[in-house]
Amino acid sequence: MQIHQLEPGFAVTDAVMPDDLDEVARRGFRSVICNRRPGEAEDHPDDRALSARAAELGLEWRCIPVTPGEYSEADIEAFGQALDGLPTPILAFCRTGKRAVHLWAHARSREAGCDIPALLAAAHDAGHDPQPIREMLKT
């Protein structure tokens, strides 16, 4: 697991397995957002094992499954509500972290006074190409 902080109280990572949640809890995260779709890969038939382990560890769990590059208004709104409502720090994940970064960027870009260059720099520093985010935010 490669965890990258995008802003205070929020970080992203690649695919998480149930045993990884022990480390997530040890690192002090209080909430987890899963952006993987049920059945998208053999290592992710659904989120039941993950959500059960999160509950055992006292982690808040939220699943906002999305297809890469396909983010509806409802998905973005749900992600923004999770950012604003879940206990921090929050760790979001998908297979590579890209969907989590994109949803974060979409949600934060809608806030008054959002510093888009800083948002793009945070995505870049986390190892994600900011150009697709820049293009998505123009639409």
Side-chain angles (χ1 to χ4, degrees):
M1 236 181 3
Q2 300 249 348
I3 296 175
H4 301 282
Q5 184 170 321
L6 292 175
E7 65 180 74
F10 180 75
V12 296
T13 192
D14 52 353
V16 171
M17 299 294 124
D19 291 343
D20 294 330
L21 291 172
D22 293 322
E23 180 180 347
V24 169
R26 273 195 307 276
R27 288 188 177 199
F29 288 96
R30 296 178 57 209
S31 303
V32 179
I33 302 171
C34 172
N35 295 127
R36 297 190 81 181
R37 293 175 297 109
E40 73 174 44
E42 286 183 27
D43 69 344
H44 189 79
D46 58 48
D47 74 326
R48 285 181 291 187
L50 286 160
S51 62
R53 185 65 187 144
E56 290 170 8
L57 294 166
L59 296 167
E60 293 288 328
W61 180 264
R62 187 75 47 93
C63 190
I64 306 169
V66 294
T67 299
E70 296 179 20
Y71 314 117
S72 70
E73 288 298 316
D75 296 331
I76 295 165
E77 184 175 318
F79 200 88
Q81 289 174 351
L83 288 172
D84 294 339
L86 289 173
T88 59
I90 300 166
L91 179 67
F93 76 95
C94 55
R95 189 179 62 79
T96 66
K98 184 176 181 178
R99 285 173 273 181
V101 170
H102 286 184
L103 285 165
W104 167 80
H106 272 295
R108 289 300 191 224
S109 72
R110 295 174 178 199
E111 296 176 355
C114 176
D115 183 346
I116 299 293
L119 185 146
L120 295 172
H124 179 266
D125 292 347
H128 294 274
D129 181 3
Q131 187 58 35
I133 298 168
R134 183 179 289 111
E135 293 301 317
M136 282 188 299
L137 297 181
K138 286 182 181 178
T139 61

